[in-house]
Amino acid sequence: MCFTSSPLPHANLSQVEFYFSAHNLSTDEHLFFQIDGPDNRTVPIKHIHSFKRMKRFQPYSAVVKALKDSEQLDVVEDGNFRGAGNEGVKRKIPLEIPGWDREKDPDATLEKLFDMLNQHSKNEMGRSIYAKGFGEEHNGQIELEDYFKAFGAVMVRKRRFPDTGEWKGSVFVEFDSEESQAAFLALDPKPKFHGLELEVMDKKAYSKMKCDQKGIIPNWERDNSARRRGGRGQRGGNRGGNRGGRGGRRNDSRSRSPRGSGDEDRDDWKDRRNKFQNKGRWNNRDRDGKGHNKGRRDDRDRDGDRGEKDHGLNRDDGGVPGVADTRKRKVEDGEEKENGSKKAKVEISEDA
């Protein structure tokens, strides 16, 4: 198979269609927020054209012209997108979020919806494979995508070391159907990439194998068990309120309702603060109703005088405070921390 790095006819169209595909949006949080998830907001084509991989497609007008031939996307040229250079683009069919019911959960945040889509994609094992053995010379992202696209692939994700970001030399590939995935795995002889025979296997089998080696349960198996129990422990549920599926990854949580919960949360916070302060004032009063301001400052005694407590100071016979030798205490504390239970917790995670 011949590879080329130069743009092919309609390659600009294919690239933008990929950006707006459900496969990409399940991992592309930035673009997911740009389109407001299932609300399908129009995105300026200028913004899409600024993406690193789009810069090879010039001029800008050629990208707009190609998008007008798309069967998946609409070019918007009215309202705020009127005039040359201001065009926008949107999906013809709004994005669907598996497992989300708009009527039952109309105020779901974008964070929550993205996590639901992302988790569904991760657990979509039936269409995905694991592959390695590409060598070191030909391993560019576009080159890998072009290779697998001939077999029906819709997404190729390079696996990287989380601490360095370097490529592990292997990929996860998602196909357009389970049939395409099965056909690729059944190839005989095995597929070759620039003359190198690839080591390929079903993604679910790979995930199970790695988790068994580490003695942990795969995420997809835990999620399936949670659903069988009635949803306990599922990520992206309502347990976190409107914080999103991972406990509110973003501080700028965007509610999809006309009026977000920000004002209500702010007022509720003020009420809680006032109740807490009033409760504290009441508890600081004695039975006669006189307040002693207990707890206002830790270095005051019951009469409100400062400095009567020694706080660990040694005094001589004349009552003059001296500095105690704490070197031994520091050494003992250090040994206690080193030999005690406060050890770094090692987290074993699924190989991704």
Side-chain angles (χ1 to χ4, degrees):
M1 180 176 293
C2 180
F3 296 96
T4 176
S5 59
S6 60
L8 300 173
H10 292 289
N12 48 11
L13 172 60
S14 298
Q15 185 61 55
V16 180
E17 287 181 339
F18 167 76
Y19 283 141
F20 282 83
S21 68
H23 311 287
N24 180 64
L25 291 170
S26 66
T27 59
D28 190 339
E29 188 174 14
H30 170 75
L31 193 53
F32 182 91
F33 272 73
Q34 287 291 312
I35 69 170
D36 268 348
D39 285 349
N40 201 26
R41 185 173 64 175
T42 302
V43 180
I45 298 178
K46 283 280 190 183
H47 180 64
I48 302 297
H49 194 236
S50 69
F51 292 176
K52 182 178 180 180
R53 195 179 291 188
M54 289 294 299
K55 290 181 179 180
R56 61 189 177 128
F57 300 118
Q58 300 295 338
Y60 164 82
S61 58
V63 176
V64 176
K65 182 179 179 181
L67 287 176
K68 291 181 178 180
D69 294 332
S70 175
E71 296 181 357
Q72 304 173 25
L73 304 173
D74 280 330
V75 173
V76 179
E77 299 180 275
D78 56 7
N80 294 331
F81 302 96
R82 187 187 304 277
N86 296 321
E87 299 90 348
V89 61
K90 61 187 294 187
R91 289 170 56 102
K92 287 183 181 291
I93 302 176
L95 181 67
E96 293 185 8
I97 310 297
W100 176 59
D101 189 325
R102 185 185 292 267
E103 293 184 359
K104 293 181 179 179
D105 191 9
D107 297 328
T109 61
L110 288 175
E111 288 90 346
K112 176 178 178 179
L113 295 177
F114 176 79
D115 283 333
M116 291 177 69
L117 182 64
N118 178 263
Q119 195 63 30
H120 175 79
S121 176
K122 286 182 178 179
N123 291 344
E124 193 64 42
M125 299 286 184
R127 298 201 309 260
S128 302
I129 61 123
Y130 163 86
K132 72 174 184 178
F134 300 94
E136 299 181 358
E137 295 183 6
H138 308 281
N139 50 31
Q141 178 69 30
I142 295 177
E143 191 171 9
L144 291 170
E145 290 176 358
D146 288 343
Y147 172 78
F148 284 103
K149 189 180 296 183
F151 301 99
V154 294
M155 177 178 289
V156 178
R157 182 167 70 87
K158 280 187 169 183
R159 302 177 62 251
R160 301 182 182 276
F161 292 104
D163 51 344
T164 64
E166 294 182 2
W167 185 38
K168 293 182 177 182
S170 59
V171 297
F172 285 137
V173 183
E174 183 177 344
F175 291 83
D176 54 11
S177 66
E178 294 186 9
E179 290 74 21
S180 295
Q181 183 250 33
F184 181 82
L185 292 174
L187 287 175
D188 189 16
K190 294 294 183 183
K192 292 184 178 182
F193 184 80
H194 288 289
L196 299 174
E197 185 172 306
L198 298 178
E199 180 180 336
V200 298
M201 65 186 303
D202 178 86
K203 183 180 178 181
K204 188 171 185 178
Y206 171 80
S207 173
K208 181 66 175 173
M209 177 189 72
K210 299 299 290 188
C211 289
D212 286 346
Q213 292 175 358
K214 298 179 180 182
I216 61 176
I217 301 175
N219 289 334
W220 50 267
E221 195 169 287
R222 285 200 298 267
D223 290 342
N224 289 339
S225 298
R227 279 192 287 269
R228 286 194 295 269
R229 291 196 303 267
R232 242 177 86 194
Q234 289 189 56
R235 297 175 66 179
N238 290 327
R239 221 166 85 181
N242 283 334
R243 297 178 301 169
R246 294 190 184 179
R249 172 179 13 209
R250 293 172 175 261
N251 292 328
D252 59 341
S253 229
R254 292 180 4 192
S255 172
R256 300 177 54 262
S257 59
R259 170 182 166 86
S261 59
D263 295 336
E264 298 172 4
D265 291 342
R266 186 158 54 248
D267 294 339
D268 183 57
W269 175 82
K270 290 179 181 179
D271 291 340
R272 291 198 304 271
R273 180 195 62 187
N274 293 335
K275 290 179 181 178
F276 176 79
Q277 291 176 344
N278 292 334
K279 182 178 180 181
R281 294 191 187 100
W282 176 259
N283 289 339
N284 288 336
R285 296 178 180 274
D286 60 13
R287 293 182 179 180
D288 296 329
K290 298 177 180 179
H292 294 294
N293 288 331
K294 294 181 182 179
R296 291 292 298 275
R297 293 188 180 179
D298 294 333
D299 57 351
R300 292 180 182 271
D301 66 3
R302 294 180 180 178
D303 297 324
D305 295 327
R306 183 194 302 268
E308 288 300 316
K309 295 184 180 180
D310 287 340
H311 294 293
L313 294 178
N314 294 328
R315 297 177 181 271
D316 59 19
D317 295 338
V320 179
V323 179
D325 186 358
T326 61
R327 288 176 295 178
K328 182 177 180 182
R329 183 185 306 170
K330 290 180 179 179
V331 173
E332 291 175 350
D333 290 344
E335 292 175 350
E336 204 173 63
K337 291 179 180 179
E338 183 177 350
N339 299 325
S341 60
K342 293 185 177 180
K343 296 181 180 179
K345 183 178 179 182
V346 179
E347 181 180 354
I348 302 177
S349 59
E350 183 174 346
D351 193 37

